[in-house]
Amino acid sequence: MSAATAQDPAVERLVRSLSEHEVRGFDVVYVLGSGLGAFAERLQHARAVPYSALDGMPQSRVAGHAGKLVLGELAGRRVLVQQGRVHLYEGWSAREVTRAVRAFCRVGARAIVLTNAAGGLRRDWPAGTLMRIRDHIALQGRAPLARDERGAANVWDEALGLALERGASDADVRLESGVYAALLGPSYETPAEIRWLAEFGADAVGMSTALEAVVARACGARVCGISLVTNQAAGISPTPLAHEEVVAAGAAAAGRFSAVLERALPHLCAAL
Ligand code: HPA
């Protein structure tokens, strides 16, 4: 479906459903990518709402995506965690993969931290590298905005990005910075595609995030994010890639990754 206007009945249903479940009163939303769900366990006074309880919330069938919202507190601040997202390669439309972000903005999200698992294009970045997303290259060939919405040229917020870097420094975790290229998937890239992407300035490659960032920004939220390099991309790594490897690398890095997200929160809130 390609909506002609920003008015979307499914978004309205989801906003109503979020309100009915009292999903409100937070400033920061964390969207957790493949295998990165462990961060939600750090929340205190946590309350989970499964996607199945939310009218209009698309539900993924990909392994590693739990499919629930978790509302809770971290260091005295209320946050919302989206644990699991849907992807274009599953057959969802650009409007559907961005519906949750759109609805979060309607119920009060001021900052959205997008995370993902990604392939790394830099030879000096081993699996397990964390990369702050400084910018993206959207190569999925889908437009998530309606005709009557205006997108921003600068989607990725520098002040929030610096807040992530401060969090990483507080957590004593190294955080690289780079450009995320979003491809449709679901197949991994060929070595030739990876060479081409590297030539054009990409540092990491994945199959999500860019459309959500564009929509969040267009809806007035500020956006930052982190990619976990779960593997070196095709042609950089001598071994073939597998989804299990991506999930396993996510689990191995979960502690470091979650520490950065947690320690960044006060800095994110201070920047709002
Ligand atoms: N390519 C695309 N998406 C990915 C990769 C990759 O190498 N690793 C994790 N997500």
Side-chain angles (χ1 to χ4, degrees):
M1 180 197 79
S2 168
T5 74
Q7 277 298 322
D8 181 344
V11 174
E12 301 308 317
R13 285 192 285 122
L14 182 53
V15 168
R16 207 173 315 126
S17 202
L18 291 172
S19 299
E20 281 163 11
H21 285 84
E22 297 183 18
V23 178
R24 64 168 88 96
F26 52 86
D27 286 323
V28 178
V29 178
Y30 291 92
V31 177
L32 302 180
S34 294
L36 301 174
F39 170 67
E41 287 156 24
R42 297 195 170 217
L43 269 54
Q44 290 128 20
H45 312 296
R47 180 166 60 84
V49 183
Y51 294 173
S52 56
L54 294 168
D55 188 15
M57 184 76 181
Q59 286 180 71
S60 174
R61 290 166 287 278
V62 176
H65 289 254
K68 61 177 191 268
L69 301 183
V70 185
L71 198 61
E73 282 180 25
L74 261 183
R77 294 168 175 92
R78 277 168 64 78
V79 299
L80 176 65
V81 172
Q82 178 187 334
Q83 201 175 9
R85 57 153 68 89
V86 294
H87 299 84
L88 293 171
Y89 64 73
E90 297 174 76
W92 301 97
S93 69
R95 299 282 293 185
E96 287 163 335
V97 301
T98 56
R99 188 185 293 157
V101 156
R102 203 177 271 282
F104 297 154
C105 293
R106 289 274 302 278
V107 296
R110 298 169 66 203
I112 303 201
V113 184
L114 298 168
T115 72
N116 57 53
L121 274 65
R122 304 265 291 253
R123 288 184 192 280
D124 53 342
W125 289 2
T129 297
L130 298 185
M131 181 193 90
R132 177 215 352 155
I133 304 171
R134 205 174 56 233
D135 205 350
H136 75 236
I137 306 174
L139 294 168
Q140 295 172 309
R142 302 283 195 283
L145 296 183
R147 203 178 45 207
D148 57 354
E149 287 180 300
R150 189 140 11 107
N154 294 324
V155 171
W156 296 89
D157 191 289
E158 188 60 17
L160 294 192
L162 293 176
L164 293 178
E165 293 198 351
R166 292 204 179 96
S169 159
D170 290 353
D172 208 14
V173 171
R174 189 179 171 85
L175 182 62
E176 306 288 354
S177 129
V179 173
Y180 174 84
L183 269 65
L184 191 53
S187 50
Y188 291 120
E189 304 69 35
T190 64
E193 286 164 342
I194 292 298
R195 282 196 299 277
W196 181 83
L197 288 169
E199 188 105 350
F200 282 85
D203 300 294
V205 60
M207 306 169 191
S208 67
T209 302
L211 299 185
E212 291 151 280
V214 167
V215 165
R217 190 74 203 102
C219 293
R222 290 167 63 187
V223 180
C224 62
I226 299 183
S227 292
L228 165 65
V229 173
T230 50
N231 56 277
Q232 292 193 315
I236 308 277
S237 160
T239 53
L241 307 178
H243 182 67
E244 295 68 29
E245 180 190 355
V246 171
V247 174
R256 274 185 314 126
F257 188 81
S258 299
V260 173
L261 295 184
E262 178 169 359
R263 299 296 289 270
L265 184 62
H267 300 294
L268 292 169
C269 292
L272 288 179

